Amino acid sequence: MKTRKMLKWIGVLSALIVSIIVGMAFVRPMHAQAAIRLSKESIEVNVGKSKTLKLKGVSEKKSKKVRWSSSNPSVATVGLKTGKVKGISYGEAVITATLGSNTYECPVEVTDYITKVKISPKSVSVKAGESIQLSCNVSPVANHDTNIPVWTSSNTNVATVTDKGEVFGVKKGKATITVRIGYKEKKSSVVVNVKGKSSPRSIAKNYLTKNGSLSNGDVSVRYDGSSNAFVFKYIDNQYGKSLTMTVPNTSSPNVTWKFETSAATAQATRYASSYYSSTKLNYTVKKGKKDLGYDAIAQATTGLAMQKWNSLLYQNMSINLKDLGFTSY
């Protein structure tokens, strides 16, 4: 009897275990419900641009009940039902999504990085030895970006460009001038067509206007815009003498030399076309009194200075005094 009861209970337990195992095989696993959250913890959007936020972890039906708002609409707006955030002005705002009694926030930084840059003028041509000023126009105009343009030339043997966008034609050919500006380095380019060489006087004028002056040791030259003339200077500190030569920027200049020492200041004038390396200038005293050997020193100083000035021009601008109207250079 006892054996029968034991066998009966064993059968019941076995059936129970089998039913449990079979039941577990048909039970679908339960997934934990996804946490409700915004698609982005924070966003950055440029002025005039848009980005869309979404509320994750809600059904499509519930997502239609989400309402969006901005803490600062003057900086960033958001679509009431869309979550589309648009940058309005530089600054910060907080976008809030509301679902029932729950709210979810996303900080927004609105930037005003430069998004576009254009070079003006669009078409550029310049003669060798002359220059033209370029400018760059950016968008947005009012911004907090890095507003220092960086100018470069693809071929400095044809055309160079200064950090202010002034293009100087070097020789005939084409070069691409590029400007980069802003944190994200927006760029624009223009092709510069450098035509045949301009007159030597124009080359000298533009070169000296751009660079201010040109010097080498004891000699220098500059362009005086007020008198439209080239002013050459030679200073001999060892012997306390100096010579200044003023050459008007004309086709037939009447040149003035001013020789100065501690004893006297004298002046001479002569047309450049009638000046030769052997010419003796008639220096007239304007101040003080000539001492012994004054005229000889003046003539020797003039000859030396003319040679040095000639070399200065040629080495830096590939022109010489003959190009400025002097006969023998």
Side-chain angles (χ1 to χ4, degrees):
M1 181 66 74
K2 289 182 178 180
T3 302
R4 283 183 179 179
K5 286 183 177 181
M6 186 176 291
L7 292 172
K8 182 179 178 180
W9 281 108
I10 290 173
V12 172
L13 288 171
S14 298
L16 182 61
I17 291 170
V18 170
S19 64
I20 291 172
I21 293 173
V22 172
M24 289 178 67
F26 287 94
V27 174
R28 293 180 180 177
M30 297 292 290
H31 293 284
Q33 185 177 1
I36 299 176
R37 69 191 189 283
L38 289 172
S39 55
K40 299 285 184 180
E41 292 183 0
S42 64
I43 61 172
E44 179 185 288
V45 61
N46 210 56
V47 171
K49 300 297 182 179
S50 301
K51 288 185 179 180
T52 300
L53 288 172
K54 293 182 179 181
L55 193 62
K56 298 285 189 178
V58 297
S59 65
E60 184 178 351
K61 184 178 180 180
K62 282 189 175 181
S63 67
K64 294 180 180 179
K65 297 181 180 180
V66 179
R67 296 295 178 264
W68 300 85
S69 62
S70 170
S71 66
N72 194 348
S74 64
V75 171
T77 59
V78 62
L80 179 64
K81 297 181 180 180
T82 62
K84 186 176 181 180
V85 181
K86 183 177 181 180
I88 303 300
S89 64
Y90 180 82
E92 296 179 346
V94 176
I95 302 300
T96 301
T98 302
L99 180 60
S101 60
N102 297 316
T103 58
Y104 308 87
E105 295 182 344
C106 176
V108 176
E109 180 184 359
V110 179
T111 58
D112 54 3
Y113 293 131
I114 292 170
T115 56
K116 291 181 181 179
V117 57
K118 289 184 179 180
I119 291 178
S120 179
K122 295 179 180 179
S123 178
V124 181
S125 63
V126 63
K127 287 185 177 181
E130 296 187 356
S131 65
I132 185 171
Q133 182 66 51
L134 302 182
S135 63
C136 63
N137 304 310
V138 301
S139 177
V141 176
N143 60 75
H144 295 74
D145 206 345
T146 305
N147 275 304
I148 301 175
V150 177
W151 297 87
T152 56
S153 170
S154 65
N155 190 345
T156 55
N157 291 322
V158 171
T160 61
V161 60
T162 68
D163 57 2
K164 294 183 179 179
E166 184 182 10
V167 177
F168 186 78
V170 178
K171 69 176 183 179
K172 189 175 182 179
K174 291 184 178 182
T176 300
I177 303 299
T178 301
V179 63
R180 290 177 173 82
I181 190 170
Y183 174 74
K184 297 188 177 181
E185 286 199 341
K186 295 298 178 179
K187 67 178 182 178
S188 179
S189 299
V190 66
V191 176
V192 175
N193 182 23
V194 180
K195 298 179 180 180
K197 208 169 188 179
S198 60
S199 69
R201 292 198 308 277
S202 294
I203 292 175
K205 176 183 175 180
N206 289 317
Y207 183 97
L208 296 171
T209 299
K210 182 181 75 170
N211 294 285
S213 64
L214 179 63
S215 61
N216 183 13
D218 51 9
V219 291
S220 65
V221 59
R222 63 181 177 84
Y223 173 73
D224 184 358
S226 61
S227 62
N228 189 27
F230 302 103
V231 181
F232 293 81
K233 191 85 173 180
Y234 168 70
I235 299 176
D236 187 342
N237 290 318
Q238 183 177 358
Y239 294 102
K241 58 185 179 180
S242 68
L243 180 65
T244 302
M245 179 176 72
T246 302
V247 184
N249 183 21
T250 60
S251 58
S252 183
N254 190 22
V255 182
T256 301
W257 289 265
K258 185 170 73 171
F259 182 64
E260 296 178 271
T261 68
S262 57
T265 297
Q267 186 172 299
T269 59
R270 193 180 187 98
Y271 280 98
S273 58
S274 65
Y275 179 88
Y276 297 85
S277 57
S278 59
T279 298
K280 290 186 178 181
L281 296 173
N282 182 23
Y283 277 100
T284 303
V285 173
K286 298 295 181 179
K287 180 182 177 181
K289 186 177 180 180
K290 291 182 180 180
D291 54 10
L292 186 64
Y294 186 93
D295 285 323
I297 295 173
Q299 299 300 332
T301 301
T302 302
L304 176 62
M306 295 290 283
Q307 292 176 19
K308 289 192 173 188
W309 288 330
N310 197 56
S311 296
L312 182 68
L313 292 175
Y314 187 77
Q315 290 171 5
N316 291 275
M317 290 180 271
S318 297
I319 64 174
N320 51 39
L321 289 175
K322 188 174 182 179
D323 293 319
L324 298 184
F326 288 88
T327 301
S328 61
Y329 289 88

